[in-house]
Amino acid sequence: PLPDVVAQAREPVAVREDGPRQLRLDDERPRARVLDDVRELLDRGAPARGHGRATEARRHGLHLDHLEAVVEHDHHRRASADPASRELAGDPVDARWSAATHAALDALSLPEALIEAGASKAAAELLTAGWGDLWGEGIASVSALCVLRDGLLQSGSNAHYRFVDGVDRLPQAFARELGDRVRTRCRVIAIEQGESQLRIAYLRDGKRETISADRAICALPFWLLREIETPAQWSAGKRAAIASQRAFSALRTTFQMRSRYWLAHGENGQAQTDLGGISAVYDVGAFQNAKRGLLQTYSGGAQARRLAALPEAERHDEILRALDRVFPGALAQCESAASWSWDAQPHVRGASAWFAPGEMTRQAAHLASVEGRVHFAGDHTSPWIRWMQGALYSGLRAAREVHEAEA
């Protein structure tokens, strides 16, 4: 099902990232045709989809009543996704989809799956360079099914949605609708389940309080949920999923530049790199009407943790020097910088979930399953791990479950 990009070793392809480097694509066809096939693989929704692609996003002002329409639009657009990709990973949003059906793919990493499909080791390296470091502890540590599912869900359309005036508009809209029903500075410490109700225990200003409810929706990622006391009657499958869910370490650094100087050089500000310190670069100021520019870098896994542990000035200096090698001029143009480590946020402690080979087969069926009167939401329970649409999709699903549940 993977595109037949490679066959017999013939001609090396020069890739200029950190200086000239030779990666061999094992293909007898002319080099230009090989690169066309690689681009086609990316464009057809293979794993690089969603990272560093130079697509023209559309700006939309979204309100809460638009969110279900956006999720529904995404469901329909996947109908036009590449048939080979659907054959490979199925339709992850279909209620009948099961990771166990794709256990053979789940047992492999993506580089292993590419090589098994006929790619050389060098071709697998080329196809996963840069963006692959933004998965788990590197792409070789992650289930191929996990990565290809993400690529399939990103395929079928170049339409992207953005919140006009920033993502903060979403929680602000919730706050306006919910008012004082939102309780802040409350740390949940236990979920106690009875026959007809459940009780949530939490600490507020150091004092234990409780609230009773017919049902609850838990949106905590499982690596935080395992620190909370949960009902003993929860299933063994759910408990195993909670105990083993992994958290991805990510660091995002944004640099304000005096201008979008890269445009004058014919560059769009998007890049993948194997420099090590940074893996991806985005022009995040492309939708602002301003003279200045914003370049944003992402680092993952061990590199993200190493950089986050550095003093801020040292961290920004190292990343900026790497960025200057990708888009020369960054050192001279930079005015200020700010970075964000998800690991360092005490109520998050990780950017997203990920699955090592074999783990989706064991865990996927238990991520969103209802346990008594407790329902589960969050992108980690959805097909779209890592993405906002996964959180929205899961919230709508959990709300429907509560609405349709027996009293």
Side-chain angles (χ1 to χ4, degrees):
L2 293 174
D4 183 18
V5 176
V6 291
Q8 300 297 320
R10 283 292 189 276
E11 185 178 7
V13 176
V15 177
R16 182 173 291 275
E17 290 180 344
D18 185 14
R21 184 158 62 95
Q22 296 292 316
L23 295 181
R24 181 174 295 278
L25 285 181
D26 297 346
D27 196 294
E28 61 187 355
R29 289 167 290 178
R31 178 165 57 190
R33 177 66 185 279
V34 174
L35 291 178
D36 284 344
D37 284 347
V38 172
R39 293 189 188 98
E40 180 185 358
L41 175 62
L42 301 182
D43 289 339
R44 288 168 60 188
R49 191 81 196 123
H51 285 290
R53 302 296 296 157
T55 56
E56 188 68 25
R58 296 186 300 174
R59 300 182 71 196
H60 288 264
L62 298 182
H63 302 287
L64 292 180
D65 56 354
H66 293 156
L67 298 182
E68 187 162 5
V70 171
V71 173
E72 185 67 16
H73 164 71
D74 190 86
H75 178 79
H76 286 305
R77 74 176 174 80
R78 285 180 299 98
S80 63
D82 174 60
S85 298
R86 289 203 306 272
E87 179 183 350
L88 181 67
D91 182 356
V93 183
D94 192 308
R96 298 165 295 179
W97 188 87
S98 168
T101 305
H102 308 284
L105 190 59
D106 182 40
L108 303 172
S109 69
L110 183 60
E112 289 172 335
L114 289 168
I115 291 169
E116 186 173 281
S120 68
K121 182 179 179 181
E125 180 186 352
L126 173 62
L127 289 169
T128 58
W131 68 270
D133 292 328
L134 296 176
W135 279 96
E137 296 300 325
I139 195 67
S141 69
V142 184
S143 158
L145 179 61
C146 177
V147 180
L148 289 173
R149 178 181 69 168
D150 184 78
L152 176 61
L153 290 168
Q154 299 298 326
S155 68
S157 172
N158 283 335
H160 290 192
Y161 295 85
R162 301 175 65 88
F163 286 91
V164 177
D165 299 327
V167 180
D168 277 356
R169 288 189 62 187
L170 181 59
Q172 289 169 5
F174 274 107
R176 285 195 302 272
E177 293 290 329
L178 296 172
D180 59 8
R181 284 175 287 181
V182 177
R183 302 189 183 189
T184 60
R185 300 191 303 278
C186 298
R187 183 169 67 87
V188 175
I189 57 175
I191 301 172
E192 303 166 359
Q193 187 162 300
E195 289 187 8
S196 60
Q197 274 199 325
L198 54 81
R199 187 166 59 177
I200 309 298
Y202 58 93
L203 295 179
R204 187 172 192 177
D205 297 327
K207 181 182 177 181
R208 180 186 172 101
E209 299 182 19
T210 61
I211 184 171
S212 298
D214 295 329
R215 294 186 176 270
I217 296 175
C218 176
L220 289 172
F222 287 176
W223 57 88
L224 296 181
L225 180 57
R226 54 178 169 254
E227 298 180 0
I228 293 173
E229 181 183 342
T230 54
Q233 57 265 50
W234 281 7
S235 67
K238 177 69 80 175
R239 291 193 169 280
I242 293 171
S244 57
Q245 187 171 79
R246 302 169 185 267
F248 171 58
S249 298
L251 176 73
R252 180 181 67 203
T253 307
T254 307
F255 296 92
Q256 178 176 299
M257 304 297 182
R258 280 195 290 272
S259 68
R260 297 176 67 201
Y261 67 93
W262 50 92
L263 298 179
H265 301 154
E267 303 282 359
N268 63 10
Q270 319 280 17
Q272 306 293 324
T273 172
D274 62 355
L275 288 175
I278 59 176
S279 298
V281 183
Y282 301 97
D283 176 359
V284 294
F287 301 96
Q288 297 179 342
N289 296 319
K291 176 183 177 182
R292 288 175 168 82
L294 295 173
L295 284 180
Q296 195 170 82
T297 69
Y298 279 84
S299 309
Q303 288 286 7
R305 293 190 292 273
R306 179 187 67 80
L307 289 164
L310 296 175
E312 183 179 67
E314 184 178 343
R315 178 195 319 138
H316 292 167
D317 181 69
E318 179 177 335
I319 297 173
L320 181 59
R321 290 182 182 281
L323 181 59
D324 191 69
R325 299 174 72 181
V326 180
F327 293 113
L331 281 168
Q333 285 270 340
C334 181
E335 294 182 322
S336 62
S339 54
W340 176 273
S341 167
W342 277 263
D343 286 8
Q345 310 311 311
H347 303 300
V348 179
R349 284 181 271 159
S352 63
W354 63 280
F355 302 93
E359 289 184 341
M360 287 190 71
T361 302
R362 297 190 295 270
Q363 297 180 24
H366 305 288
L367 299 175
S369 60
V370 179
E371 295 290 336
R373 294 180 171 273
V374 180
H375 304 253
F376 296 86
D379 66 287
H380 58 287
T381 70
S382 83
W384 291 272
I385 61 170
R386 302 158 57 96
W387 301 106
M388 184 183 296
Q389 58 263 39
L392 299 175
Y393 175 88
S394 72
L396 293 168
R397 171 190 49 73
R400 291 190 199 99
E401 291 172 355
V402 171
H403 180 68
E404 297 170 0
E406 296 180 2

